[in-house]
Amino acid sequence: MQDATEVLNEINKVVNWYKKQKSSYNDIDNLLYTRKHLSCLSFFLAEIVGEAYTLFKEYEYERKSSFEKERLRIKKTQSTSVADAEMQAAASSADMRKAENESEAIFKRLSLTLNATNEILQTLNQHIAHLRSEKQAEMKGQGSQGT
């Protein structure tokens, strides 16, 4: 699997390059290459998002499992209410909750980046389609440069 930082940096480079192009940019070959490159990066990012989701779910499972074991242990060894046992168990699994929350935040941030990358791919597709239709119109003598 690709390194997440490298993939994100490469996506940022592509996006920043495309952002700098004027609306009149018409190098279709370069746009096709850019689309191909960004599509591959999107695939790599999707793999990373999947791994982040798996890690998040593992942390969630570990926290819930630890919480429940600790709650049952407290309930068996101490004469306390269910609410007190749950509070003590939650306190003992606070570090796990923090790790779970951090992994969930990473997963969500990567998912948002993947969605945004795919939206940019759609924009590239539309740009390419527009240039192709202009080119076809020019070949038929109907384009803006044909008059």
Side-chain angles (χ1 to χ4, degrees):
M1 178 166 36
Q2 301 287 321
D3 177 63
T5 303
E6 288 177 22
V7 171
L8 292 170
N9 286 339
E10 193 64 27
I11 288 170
N12 281 327
K13 284 180 194 175
V14 172
V15 169
N16 285 323
W17 171 84
Y18 189 54
K19 183 181 106 179
K20 291 176 187 175
Q21 303 312 309
K22 295 182 178 177
S23 60
S24 60
Y25 185 78
N26 64 0
D27 185 348
I28 197 166
D29 290 330
N30 203 19
L31 289 173
L32 288 168
Y33 171 78
T34 300
R35 179 178 65 181
K36 174 185 164 193
H37 186 58
L38 194 58
S39 293
C40 292
L41 292 169
S42 178
F43 173 82
F44 296 146
L45 184 56
E47 286 184 320
I48 294 165
V49 167
E51 289 294 320
Y53 182 74
T54 300
L55 184 62
F56 160 57
K57 289 312 231 178
E58 286 173 0
Y59 279 124
E60 180 183 44
Y61 174 80
E62 289 299 319
R63 181 204 38 94
K64 287 180 177 182
S65 175
S66 174
F67 171 85
E68 192 59 26
K69 287 175 186 173
E70 184 65 8
R71 186 185 69 79
L72 290 173
R73 186 195 66 75
I74 292 168
K75 196 68 180 127
K76 284 181 181 179
T77 61
Q78 301 175 18
S79 59
T80 184
S81 69
V82 172
D84 284 342
E86 287 180 355
M87 284 177 41
Q88 290 178 41
S92 73
S93 61
D95 288 342
M96 289 180 168
R97 163 100 42 206
K98 183 179 180 197
E100 177 189 350
N101 288 343
E102 288 172 355
S103 67
E104 182 182 21
I106 290 168
F107 162 68
K108 286 183 177 181
R109 192 168 55 244
L110 288 169
S111 293
L112 289 170
T113 303
L114 178 61
N115 290 339
T117 300
N118 289 334
E119 287 179 23
I120 293 166
L121 274 168
Q122 286 299 321
T123 301
L124 270 168
N125 284 334
Q126 291 171 358
H127 193 163
I128 291 166
H130 176 72
L131 291 175
R132 283 182 174 158
S133 67
E134 274 188 355
K135 194 173 202 175
Q136 286 176 345
E138 286 176 12
M139 293 178 119
K140 293 179 182 178
Q142 301 169 352
S144 58
Q145 294 178 3
T147 54

